[in-house]
């Protein structure tokens, strides 16, 4: 099994404080043994970066796209649309503390309704520097 994903990002600095970006992506899964595993996926990531200063940074992105499986009569997987949402950032606080947050939400709407799926991940950290 081989997976490949590629894309290119175009960024526009709207000001010294924030920028917007777009990143078209294309992905493919190759599998010699199991043809039901093979797919093509295309999407575009649209986002905003706030690089801030040493005190904070924030990145927000939305990635709508579609995955199409090569095998039409695939009993394991079905084609689907997705809307991946990502938020990540960090902020400094007094006394050497910093807060970091990562949130990802990845809902899938499948051709077979019973295959609809969604995953959400949240990671938060508090760091103390000495």
């Amino acid at each position: 099994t081989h997976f490949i994903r590629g894309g290119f990002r175009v960024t526009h600095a709207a000001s010294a404080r924030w920028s917007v970006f777009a990143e078209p992506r294309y992905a493919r899964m190759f599998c010699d043994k199991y043809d039901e595993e093979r797919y093509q996926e295309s999407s575009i990531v649209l986002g905003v970066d706030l690089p801030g200063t040493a005190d904070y940074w924030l990145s927000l992105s939305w990635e709508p796209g579609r995955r199409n499986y090569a095998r039409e009569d695939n009993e394991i997987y079905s084609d689907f649309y997705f809307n991946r949402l990502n938020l990540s950032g960090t902020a400094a606080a007094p006394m050497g503390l910093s807060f970091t947050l990562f949130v990802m939400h990845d809902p899938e709407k499948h051709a077979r309704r019973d295959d609809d799926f969604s995953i959400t991940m949240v990671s938060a950290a508090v760091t103390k520097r000495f």
Side-chain angles (χ1 to χ4, degrees), residues 53-85:
T53 62
D55 292 336
Y56 75 92
W57 65 266
L58 181 68
S59 183
L60 303 152
S61 68
W62 170 50
E63 182 183 6
R66 179 162 172 83
R67 180 178 294 178
N68 294 307
Y69 285 90
R71 188 171 171 176
E72 290 294 324
D73 62 338
N74 197 330
E75 293 185 22
I76 300 173
Y77 303 108
S78 63
D79 298 345
F80 63 89
Y81 290 97
F82 57 86
N83 279 290
R84 297 176 181 138
L85 301 168

PDB file of all heavy atoms in Angstrom, residues 53-85:
ATOM      1  N   THR A  53       2.974  37.683  17.913  1.00  0.00           N
ATOM      2  CA  THR A  53       4.316  38.036  18.370  1.00  0.00           C
ATOM      3  C   THR A  53       4.842  36.833  19.131  1.00  0.00           C
ATOM      4  O   THR A  53       4.349  35.733  18.958  1.00  0.00           O
ATOM      5  CB  THR A  53       4.233  39.258  19.303  1.00  0.00           C
ATOM      6  OG1 THR A  53       3.442  38.898  20.437  1.00  0.00           O
ATOM      7  CG2 THR A  53       3.598  40.453  18.611  1.00  0.00           C
ATOM      8  N   ALA A  54       5.773  37.056  20.008  1.00  0.00           N
ATOM      9  CA  ALA A  54       6.249  35.958  20.854  1.00  0.00           C
ATOM     10  C   ALA A  54       5.164  35.546  21.847  1.00  0.00           C
ATOM     11  O   ALA A  54       5.251  34.502  22.467  1.00  0.00           O
ATOM     12  CB  ALA A  54       7.515  36.381  21.587  1.00  0.00           C
ATOM     13  N   ASP A  55       4.129  36.386  21.982  1.00  0.00           N
ATOM     14  CA  ASP A  55       3.067  36.133  22.963  1.00  0.00           C
ATOM     15  C   ASP A  55       1.974  35.191  22.475  1.00  0.00           C
ATOM     16  O   ASP A  55       1.283  34.582  23.277  1.00  0.00           O
ATOM     17  CB  ASP A  55       2.412  37.441  23.388  1.00  0.00           C
ATOM     18  CG  ASP A  55       3.365  38.314  24.184  1.00  0.00           C
ATOM     19  OD1 ASP A  55       4.316  37.763  24.782  1.00  0.00           O
ATOM     20  OD2 ASP A  55       3.171  39.540  24.190  1.00  0.00           O
ATOM     21  N   TYR A  56       1.753  35.104  21.159  1.00  0.00           N
ATOM     22  CA  TYR A  56       0.679  34.254  20.658  1.00  0.00           C
ATOM     23  C   TYR A  56       0.846  33.943  19.173  1.00  0.00           C
ATOM     24  O   TYR A  56       1.580  34.629  18.465  1.00  0.00           O
ATOM     25  CB  TYR A  56      -0.688  34.920  20.882  1.00  0.00           C
ATOM     26  CG  TYR A  56      -0.953  36.049  19.916  1.00  0.00           C
ATOM     27  CD1 TYR A  56      -1.620  35.813  18.713  1.00  0.00           C
ATOM     28  CD2 TYR A  56      -0.528  37.343  20.183  1.00  0.00           C
ATOM     29  CE1 TYR A  56      -1.843  36.841  17.812  1.00  0.00           C
ATOM     30  CE2 TYR A  56      -0.751  38.364  19.295  1.00  0.00           C
ATOM     31  CZ  TYR A  56      -1.412  38.115  18.099  1.00  0.00           C
ATOM     32  OH  TYR A  56      -1.623  39.126  17.211  1.00  0.00           O
ATOM     33  N   TRP A  57       0.143  32.929  18.717  1.00  0.00           N
ATOM     34  CA  TRP A  57      -0.089  32.668  17.296  1.00  0.00           C
ATOM     35  C   TRP A  57      -1.354  31.836  17.183  1.00  0.00           C
ATOM     36  O   TRP A  57      -1.736  31.124  18.118  1.00  0.00           O
ATOM     37  CB  TRP A  57       1.111  32.003  16.604  1.00  0.00           C
ATOM     38  CG  TRP A  57       1.439  30.632  17.101  1.00  0.00           C
ATOM     39  CD1 TRP A  57       2.352  30.297  18.067  1.00  0.00           C
ATOM     40  CD2 TRP A  57       0.862  29.390  16.675  1.00  0.00           C
ATOM     41  NE1 TRP A  57       2.363  28.947  18.269  1.00  0.00           N
ATOM     42  CE2 TRP A  57       1.465  28.355  17.423  1.00  0.00           C
ATOM     43  CE3 TRP A  57      -0.109  29.050  15.733  1.00  0.00           C
ATOM     44  CZ2 TRP A  57       1.119  27.017  17.268  1.00  0.00           C
ATOM     45  CZ3 TRP A  57      -0.444  27.705  15.575  1.00  0.00           C
ATOM     46  CH2 TRP A  57       0.172  26.716  16.333  1.00  0.00           C
ATOM     47  N   LEU A  58      -2.011  31.933  16.038  1.00  0.00           N
ATOM     48  CA  LEU A  58      -3.267  31.238  15.823  1.00  0.00           C
ATOM     49  C   LEU A  58      -3.394  30.887  14.352  1.00  0.00           C
ATOM     50  O   LEU A  58      -3.029  31.668  13.482  1.00  0.00           O
ATOM     51  CB  LEU A  58      -4.441  32.140  16.240  1.00  0.00           C
ATOM     52  CG  LEU A  58      -5.847  31.565  16.110  1.00  0.00           C
ATOM     53  CD1 LEU A  58      -6.054  30.434  17.121  1.00  0.00           C
ATOM     54  CD2 LEU A  58      -6.874  32.665  16.321  1.00  0.00           C
ATOM     55  N   SER A  59      -3.897  29.696  14.071  1.00  0.00           N
ATOM     56  CA  SER A  59      -4.137  29.263  12.701  1.00  0.00           C
ATOM     57  C   SER A  59      -5.496  28.583  12.626  1.00  0.00           C
ATOM     58  O   SER A  59      -5.802  27.702  13.439  1.00  0.00           O
ATOM     59  CB  SER A  59      -3.035  28.287  12.248  1.00  0.00           C
ATOM     60  OG  SER A  59      -3.238  27.919  10.899  1.00  0.00           O
ATOM     61  N   LEU A  60      -6.324  29.008  11.668  1.00  0.00           N
ATOM     62  CA  LEU A  60      -7.648  28.429  11.438  1.00  0.00           C
ATOM     63  C   LEU A  60      -7.705  27.967   9.984  1.00  0.00           C
ATOM     64  O   LEU A  60      -7.259  28.686   9.092  1.00  0.00           O
ATOM     65  CB  LEU A  60      -8.743  29.481  11.632  1.00  0.00           C
ATOM     66  CG  LEU A  60      -8.790  30.171  12.972  1.00  0.00           C
ATOM     67  CD1 LEU A  60      -9.378  31.562  12.827  1.00  0.00           C
ATOM     68  CD2 LEU A  60      -9.645  29.370  13.913  1.00  0.00           C
ATOM     69  N   SER A  61      -8.273  26.781   9.750  1.00  0.00           N
ATOM     70  CA  SER A  61      -8.412  26.336   8.361  1.00  0.00           C
ATOM     71  C   SER A  61      -9.660  25.485   8.174  1.00  0.00           C
ATOM     72  O   SER A  61     -10.151  24.844   9.105  1.00  0.00           O
ATOM     73  CB  SER A  61      -7.171  25.564   7.903  1.00  0.00           C
ATOM     74  OG  SER A  61      -7.065  24.336   8.581  1.00  0.00           O
ATOM     75  N   TRP A  62     -10.136  25.485   6.929  1.00  0.00           N
ATOM     76  CA  TRP A  62     -11.293  24.696   6.503  1.00  0.00           C
ATOM     77  C   TRP A  62     -10.886  23.986   5.223  1.00  0.00           C
ATOM     78  O   TRP A  62     -10.336  24.620   4.309  1.00  0.00           O
ATOM     79  CB  TRP A  62     -12.482  25.613   6.272  1.00  0.00           C
ATOM     80  CG  TRP A  62     -13.660  24.964   5.610  1.00  0.00           C
ATOM     81  CD1 TRP A  62     -14.270  23.799   5.967  1.00  0.00           C
ATOM     82  CD2 TRP A  62     -14.371  25.458   4.476  1.00  0.00           C
ATOM     83  NE1 TRP A  62     -15.331  23.539   5.132  1.00  0.00           N
ATOM     84  CE2 TRP A  62     -15.407  24.553   4.198  1.00  0.00           C
ATOM     85  CE3 TRP A  62     -14.240  26.581   3.662  1.00  0.00           C
ATOM     86  CZ2 TRP A  62     -16.302  24.723   3.150  1.00  0.00           C
ATOM     87  CZ3 TRP A  62     -15.131  26.765   2.624  1.00  0.00           C
ATOM     88  CH2 TRP A  62     -16.144  25.834   2.385  1.00  0.00           C
ATOM     89  N   GLU A  63     -11.115  22.683   5.176  1.00  0.00           N
ATOM     90  CA  GLU A  63     -10.720  21.892   4.010  1.00  0.00           C
ATOM     91  C   GLU A  63     -11.912  21.085   3.488  1.00  0.00           C
ATOM     92  O   GLU A  63     -12.152  19.960   3.917  1.00  0.00           O
ATOM     93  CB  GLU A  63      -9.569  20.940   4.358  1.00  0.00           C
ATOM     94  CG  GLU A  63      -9.098  20.133   3.182  1.00  0.00           C
ATOM     95  CD  GLU A  63      -7.998  19.142   3.538  1.00  0.00           C
ATOM     96  OE1 GLU A  63      -7.674  18.997   4.731  1.00  0.00           O
ATOM     97  OE2 GLU A  63      -7.471  18.522   2.599  1.00  0.00           O
ATOM     98  N   PRO A  64     -12.682  21.646   2.553  1.00  0.00           N
ATOM     99  CA  PRO A  64     -13.729  20.849   1.914  1.00  0.00           C
ATOM    100  C   PRO A  64     -13.110  19.986   0.818  1.00  0.00           C
ATOM    101  O   PRO A  64     -12.142  20.390   0.174  1.00  0.00           O
ATOM    102  CB  PRO A  64     -14.668  21.907   1.335  1.00  0.00           C
ATOM    103  CG  PRO A  64     -13.781  23.078   1.063  1.00  0.00           C
ATOM    104  CD  PRO A  64     -12.697  23.028   2.117  1.00  0.00           C
ATOM    105  N   GLY A  65     -13.661  18.794   0.622  1.00  0.00           N
ATOM    106  CA  GLY A  65     -13.124  17.929  -0.427  1.00  0.00           C
ATOM    107  C   GLY A  65     -13.971  16.695  -0.646  1.00  0.00           C
ATOM    108  O   GLY A  65     -15.045  16.530  -0.060  1.00  0.00           O
ATOM    109  N   ARG A  66     -13.477  15.829  -1.511  1.00  0.00           N
ATOM    110  CA  ARG A  66     -14.184  14.596  -1.859  1.00  0.00           C
ATOM    111  C   ARG A  66     -13.184  13.464  -2.064  1.00  0.00           C
ATOM    112  O   ARG A  66     -12.125  13.659  -2.641  1.00  0.00           O
ATOM    113  CB  ARG A  66     -14.980  14.788  -3.142  1.00  0.00           C
ATOM    114  CG  ARG A  66     -15.716  13.523  -3.560  1.00  0.00           C
ATOM    115  CD  ARG A  66     -16.819  13.805  -4.540  1.00  0.00           C
ATOM    116  NE  ARG A  66     -17.398  12.600  -5.083  1.00  0.00           N
ATOM    117  CZ  ARG A  66     -18.336  11.869  -4.511  1.00  0.00           C
ATOM    118  NH1 ARG A  66     -18.803  12.217  -3.334  1.00  0.00           N
ATOM    119  NH2 ARG A  66     -18.819  10.796  -5.093  1.00  0.00           N
ATOM    120  N   ARG A  67     -13.560  12.283  -1.574  1.00  0.00           N
ATOM    121  CA  ARG A  67     -12.783  11.061  -1.799  1.00  0.00           C
ATOM    122  C   ARG A  67     -13.622  10.119  -2.654  1.00  0.00           C
ATOM    123  O   ARG A  67     -14.774   9.844  -2.343  1.00  0.00           O
ATOM    124  CB  ARG A  67     -12.426  10.373  -0.489  1.00  0.00           C
ATOM    125  CG  ARG A  67     -11.622   9.105  -0.715  1.00  0.00           C
ATOM    126  CD  ARG A  67     -11.211   8.447   0.574  1.00  0.00           C
ATOM    127  NE  ARG A  67     -10.270   9.292   1.300  1.00  0.00           N
ATOM    128  CZ  ARG A  67      -9.768   8.976   2.489  1.00  0.00           C
ATOM    129  NH1 ARG A  67     -10.119   7.843   3.085  1.00  0.00           N
ATOM    130  NH2 ARG A  67      -8.921   9.779   3.088  1.00  0.00           N
ATOM    131  N   ASN A  68     -13.012   9.632  -3.731  1.00  0.00           N
ATOM    132  CA  ASN A  68     -13.676   8.692  -4.638  1.00  0.00           C
ATOM    133  C   ASN A  68     -12.884   7.394  -4.669  1.00  0.00           C
ATOM    134  O   ASN A  68     -11.689   7.400  -4.993  1.00  0.00           O
ATOM    135  CB  ASN A  68     -13.746   9.265  -6.058  1.00  0.00           C
ATOM    136  CG  ASN A  68     -14.614  10.478  -6.141  1.00  0.00           C
ATOM    137  OD1 ASN A  68     -15.753  10.456  -5.719  1.00  0.00           O
ATOM    138  ND2 ASN A  68     -14.058  11.556  -6.662  1.00  0.00           N
ATOM    139  N   TYR A  69     -13.547   6.306  -4.353  1.00  0.00           N
ATOM    140  CA  TYR A  69     -12.913   4.994  -4.412  1.00  0.00           C
ATOM    141  C   TYR A  69     -12.974   4.466  -5.839  1.00  0.00           C
ATOM    142  O   TYR A  69     -13.963   4.676  -6.554  1.00  0.00           O
ATOM    143  CB  TYR A  69     -13.575   4.023  -3.430  1.00  0.00           C
ATOM    144  CG  TYR A  69     -13.158   4.329  -2.015  1.00  0.00           C
ATOM    145  CD1 TYR A  69     -13.873   5.216  -1.233  1.00  0.00           C
ATOM    146  CD2 TYR A  69     -12.012   3.759  -1.487  1.00  0.00           C
ATOM    147  CE1 TYR A  69     -13.468   5.526   0.045  1.00  0.00           C
ATOM    148  CE2 TYR A  69     -11.602   4.057  -0.202  1.00  0.00           C
ATOM    149  CZ  TYR A  69     -12.333   4.947   0.559  1.00  0.00           C
ATOM    150  OH  TYR A  69     -11.911   5.260   1.826  1.00  0.00           O
ATOM    151  N   ALA A  70     -11.909   3.807  -6.252  1.00  0.00           N
ATOM    152  CA  ALA A  70     -11.790   3.331  -7.625  1.00  0.00           C
ATOM    153  C   ALA A  70     -12.814   2.241  -7.945  1.00  0.00           C
ATOM    154  O   ALA A  70     -13.371   2.202  -9.040  1.00  0.00           O
ATOM    155  CB  ALA A  70     -10.371   2.817  -7.886  1.00  0.00           C
ATOM    156  N   ARG A  71     -13.068   1.397  -7.007  1.00  0.00           N
ATOM    157  CA  ARG A  71     -13.977   0.276  -7.236  1.00  0.00           C
ATOM    158  C   ARG A  71     -15.427   0.729  -7.047  1.00  0.00           C
ATOM    159  O   ARG A  71     -15.821   1.192  -5.981  1.00  0.00           O
ATOM    160  CB  ARG A  71     -13.640  -0.849  -6.267  1.00  0.00           C
ATOM    161  CG  ARG A  71     -14.389  -2.106  -6.536  1.00  0.00           C
ATOM    162  CD  ARG A  71     -13.831  -3.224  -5.689  1.00  0.00           C
ATOM    163  NE  ARG A  71     -14.695  -4.383  -5.788  1.00  0.00           N
ATOM    164  CZ  ARG A  71     -14.439  -5.529  -5.222  1.00  0.00           C
ATOM    165  NH1 ARG A  71     -13.344  -5.674  -4.507  1.00  0.00           N
ATOM    166  NH2 ARG A  71     -15.261  -6.532  -5.351  1.00  0.00           N
ATOM    167  N   GLU A  72     -16.235   0.573  -8.088  1.00  0.00           N
ATOM    168  CA  GLU A  72     -17.636   1.004  -8.048  1.00  0.00           C
ATOM    169  C   GLU A  72     -18.481   0.157  -7.099  1.00  0.00           C
ATOM    170  O   GLU A  72     -19.333   0.689  -6.394  1.00  0.00           O
ATOM    171  CB  GLU A  72     -18.242   0.950  -9.456  1.00  0.00           C
ATOM    172  CG  GLU A  72     -17.684   1.996 -10.390  1.00  0.00           C
ATOM    173  CD  GLU A  72     -18.042   3.415  -9.973  1.00  0.00           C
ATOM    174  OE1 GLU A  72     -19.163   3.631  -9.471  1.00  0.00           O
ATOM    175  OE2 GLU A  72     -17.180   4.295 -10.135  1.00  0.00           O
ATOM    176  N   ASP A  73     -18.281  -1.139  -7.091  1.00  0.00           N
ATOM    177  CA  ASP A  73     -19.086  -2.046  -6.256  1.00  0.00           C
ATOM    178  C   ASP A  73     -18.378  -2.360  -4.935  1.00  0.00           C
ATOM    179  O   ASP A  73     -18.387  -3.477  -4.464  1.00  0.00           O
ATOM    180  CB  ASP A  73     -19.399  -3.337  -7.017  1.00  0.00           C
ATOM    181  CG  ASP A  73     -18.144  -4.111  -7.385  1.00  0.00           C
ATOM    182  OD1 ASP A  73     -17.055  -3.508  -7.434  1.00  0.00           O
ATOM    183  OD2 ASP A  73     -18.247  -5.332  -7.622  1.00  0.00           O
ATOM    184  N   ASN A  74     -17.817  -1.352  -4.324  1.00  0.00           N
ATOM    185  CA  ASN A  74     -17.034  -1.485  -3.103  1.00  0.00           C
ATOM    186  C   ASN A  74     -17.964  -1.743  -1.914  1.00  0.00           C
ATOM    187  O   ASN A  74     -18.758  -0.896  -1.534  1.00  0.00           O
ATOM    188  CB  ASN A  74     -16.223  -0.208  -2.881  1.00  0.00           C
ATOM    189  CG  ASN A  74     -15.106  -0.386  -1.913  1.00  0.00           C
ATOM    190  OD1 ASN A  74     -15.187  -1.196  -1.004  1.00  0.00           O
ATOM    191  ND2 ASN A  74     -14.052   0.391  -2.095  1.00  0.00           N
ATOM    192  N   GLU A  75     -17.866  -2.914  -1.327  1.00  0.00           N
ATOM    193  CA  GLU A  75     -18.717  -3.260  -0.187  1.00  0.00           C
ATOM    194  C   GLU A  75     -18.139  -2.788   1.143  1.00  0.00           C
ATOM    195  O   GLU A  75     -18.833  -2.793   2.152  1.00  0.00           O
ATOM    196  CB  GLU A  75     -18.947  -4.773  -0.158  1.00  0.00           C
ATOM    197  CG  GLU A  75     -19.774  -5.246  -1.337  1.00  0.00           C
ATOM    198  CD  GLU A  75     -20.106  -6.724  -1.262  1.00  0.00           C
ATOM    199  OE1 GLU A  75     -20.070  -7.277  -0.142  1.00  0.00           O
ATOM    200  OE2 GLU A  75     -20.396  -7.294  -2.314  1.00  0.00           O
ATOM    201  N   ILE A  76     -16.873  -2.390   1.145  1.00  0.00           N
ATOM    202  CA  ILE A  76     -16.226  -1.955   2.388  1.00  0.00           C
ATOM    203  C   ILE A  76     -16.294  -0.437   2.545  1.00  0.00           C
ATOM    204  O   ILE A  76     -16.634   0.064   3.609  1.00  0.00           O
ATOM    205  CB  ILE A  76     -14.760  -2.432   2.430  1.00  0.00           C
ATOM    206  CG1 ILE A  76     -14.722  -3.959   2.367  1.00  0.00           C
ATOM    207  CG2 ILE A  76     -14.060  -1.913   3.676  1.00  0.00           C
ATOM    208  CD1 ILE A  76     -13.339  -4.534   2.245  1.00  0.00           C
ATOM    209  N   TYR A  77     -15.950   0.300   1.490  1.00  0.00           N
ATOM    210  CA  TYR A  77     -15.874   1.762   1.559  1.00  0.00           C
ATOM    211  C   TYR A  77     -16.841   2.394   0.562  1.00  0.00           C
ATOM    212  O   TYR A  77     -17.135   1.828  -0.475  1.00  0.00           O
ATOM    213  CB  TYR A  77     -14.462   2.248   1.230  1.00  0.00           C
ATOM    214  CG  TYR A  77     -13.399   1.664   2.107  1.00  0.00           C
ATOM    215  CD1 TYR A  77     -12.514   0.712   1.612  1.00  0.00           C
ATOM    216  CD2 TYR A  77     -13.259   2.071   3.427  1.00  0.00           C
ATOM    217  CE1 TYR A  77     -11.524   0.171   2.422  1.00  0.00           C
ATOM    218  CE2 TYR A  77     -12.270   1.542   4.234  1.00  0.00           C
ATOM    219  CZ  TYR A  77     -11.403   0.596   3.722  1.00  0.00           C
ATOM    220  OH  TYR A  77     -10.435   0.065   4.519  1.00  0.00           O
ATOM    221  N   SER A  78     -17.294   3.621   0.890  1.00  0.00           N
ATOM    222  CA  SER A  78     -18.119   4.380  -0.047  1.00  0.00           C
ATOM    223  C   SER A  78     -17.508   5.764  -0.245  1.00  0.00           C
ATOM    224  O   SER A  78     -16.829   6.302   0.637  1.00  0.00           O
ATOM    225  CB  SER A  78     -19.550   4.488   0.466  1.00  0.00           C
ATOM    226  OG  SER A  78     -19.611   5.200   1.674  1.00  0.00           O
ATOM    227  N   ASP A  79     -17.751   6.340  -1.418  1.00  0.00           N
ATOM    228  CA  ASP A  79     -17.280   7.690  -1.718  1.00  0.00           C
ATOM    229  C   ASP A  79     -17.883   8.664  -0.701  1.00  0.00           C
ATOM    230  O   ASP A  79     -18.984   8.437  -0.191  1.00  0.00           O
ATOM    231  CB  ASP A  79     -17.718   8.114  -3.117  1.00  0.00           C
ATOM    232  CG  ASP A  79     -17.134   7.225  -4.213  1.00  0.00           C
ATOM    233  OD1 ASP A  79     -16.185   6.472  -3.937  1.00  0.00           O
ATOM    234  OD2 ASP A  79     -17.648   7.299  -5.344  1.00  0.00           O
ATOM    235  N   PHE A  80     -17.159   9.763  -0.426  1.00  0.00           N
ATOM    236  CA  PHE A  80     -17.701  10.730   0.527  1.00  0.00           C
ATOM    237  C   PHE A  80     -17.145  12.130   0.323  1.00  0.00           C
ATOM    238  O   PHE A  80     -16.087  12.318  -0.264  1.00  0.00           O
ATOM    239  CB  PHE A  80     -17.457  10.285   1.974  1.00  0.00           C
ATOM    240  CG  PHE A  80     -16.016  10.169   2.387  1.00  0.00           C
ATOM    241  CD1 PHE A  80     -15.337  11.248   2.921  1.00  0.00           C
ATOM    242  CD2 PHE A  80     -15.347   8.956   2.272  1.00  0.00           C
ATOM    243  CE1 PHE A  80     -14.014  11.131   3.335  1.00  0.00           C
ATOM    244  CE2 PHE A  80     -14.027   8.821   2.685  1.00  0.00           C
ATOM    245  CZ  PHE A  80     -13.359   9.911   3.210  1.00  0.00           C
ATOM    246  N   TYR A  81     -17.925  13.094   0.823  1.00  0.00           N
ATOM    247  CA  TYR A  81     -17.499  14.485   0.930  1.00  0.00           C
ATOM    248  C   TYR A  81     -17.036  14.711   2.356  1.00  0.00           C
ATOM    249  O   TYR A  81     -17.568  14.104   3.284  1.00  0.00           O
ATOM    250  CB  TYR A  81     -18.663  15.439   0.641  1.00  0.00           C
ATOM    251  CG  TYR A  81     -19.096  15.452  -0.793  1.00  0.00           C
ATOM    252  CD1 TYR A  81     -20.168  14.684  -1.216  1.00  0.00           C
ATOM    253  CD2 TYR A  81     -18.425  16.243  -1.727  1.00  0.00           C
ATOM    254  CE1 TYR A  81     -20.571  14.695  -2.538  1.00  0.00           C
ATOM    255  CE2 TYR A  81     -18.821  16.257  -3.055  1.00  0.00           C
ATOM    256  CZ  TYR A  81     -19.897  15.476  -3.447  1.00  0.00           C
ATOM    257  OH  TYR A  81     -20.288  15.486  -4.758  1.00  0.00           O
ATOM    258  N   PHE A  82     -16.064  15.589   2.532  1.00  0.00           N
ATOM    259  CA  PHE A  82     -15.611  15.920   3.878  1.00  0.00           C
ATOM    260  C   PHE A  82     -15.443  17.421   4.017  1.00  0.00           C
ATOM    261  O   PHE A  82     -15.335  18.145   3.024  1.00  0.00           O
ATOM    262  CB  PHE A  82     -14.312  15.180   4.245  1.00  0.00           C
ATOM    263  CG  PHE A  82     -13.169  15.424   3.303  1.00  0.00           C
ATOM    264  CD1 PHE A  82     -12.330  16.512   3.458  1.00  0.00           C
ATOM    265  CD2 PHE A  82     -12.914  14.535   2.266  1.00  0.00           C
ATOM    266  CE1 PHE A  82     -11.275  16.724   2.590  1.00  0.00           C
ATOM    267  CE2 PHE A  82     -11.857  14.736   1.403  1.00  0.00           C
ATOM    268  CZ  PHE A  82     -11.032  15.833   1.557  1.00  0.00           C
ATOM    269  N   ASN A  83     -15.452  17.877   5.260  1.00  0.00           N
ATOM    270  CA  ASN A  83     -15.263  19.282   5.620  1.00  0.00           C
ATOM    271  C   ASN A  83     -14.396  19.327   6.867  1.00  0.00           C
ATOM    272  O   ASN A  83     -14.908  19.403   7.984  1.00  0.00           O
ATOM    273  CB  ASN A  83     -16.611  19.954   5.909  1.00  0.00           C
ATOM    274  CG  ASN A  83     -17.308  20.374   4.657  1.00  0.00           C
ATOM    275  OD1 ASN A  83     -16.866  21.302   4.001  1.00  0.00           O
ATOM    276  ND2 ASN A  83     -18.378  19.685   4.316  1.00  0.00           N
ATOM    277  N   ARG A  84     -13.101  19.246   6.683  1.00  0.00           N
ATOM    278  CA  ARG A  84     -12.180  19.229   7.821  1.00  0.00           C
ATOM    279  C   ARG A  84     -11.980  20.644   8.355  1.00  0.00           C
ATOM    280  O   ARG A  84     -11.707  21.566   7.599  1.00  0.00           O
ATOM    281  CB  ARG A  84     -10.836  18.649   7.389  1.00  0.00           C
ATOM    282  CG  ARG A  84     -10.934  17.227   6.954  1.00  0.00           C
ATOM    283  CD  ARG A  84      -9.611  16.684   6.438  1.00  0.00           C
ATOM    284  NE  ARG A  84      -9.784  15.310   6.019  1.00  0.00           N
ATOM    285  CZ  ARG A  84      -9.250  14.803   4.907  1.00  0.00           C
ATOM    286  NH1 ARG A  84      -8.486  15.545   4.133  1.00  0.00           N
ATOM    287  NH2 ARG A  84      -9.469  13.555   4.588  1.00  0.00           N
ATOM    288  N   LEU A  85     -12.101  20.787   9.659  1.00  0.00           N
ATOM    289  CA  LEU A  85     -11.892  22.070  10.325  1.00  0.00           C
ATOM    290  C   LEU A  85     -10.730  21.926  11.308  1.00  0.00           C
ATOM    291  O   LEU A  85     -10.671  20.942  12.048  1.00  0.00           O
ATOM    292  CB  LEU A  85     -13.156  22.489  11.085  1.00  0.00           C
ATOM    293  CG  LEU A  85     -14.409  22.651  10.235  1.00  0.00           C
ATOM    294  CD1 LEU A  85     -15.641  22.785  11.131  1.00  0.00           C
ATOM    295  CD2 LEU A  85     -14.281  23.856   9.332  1.00  0.00           C
TER     296      LEU A  85
END
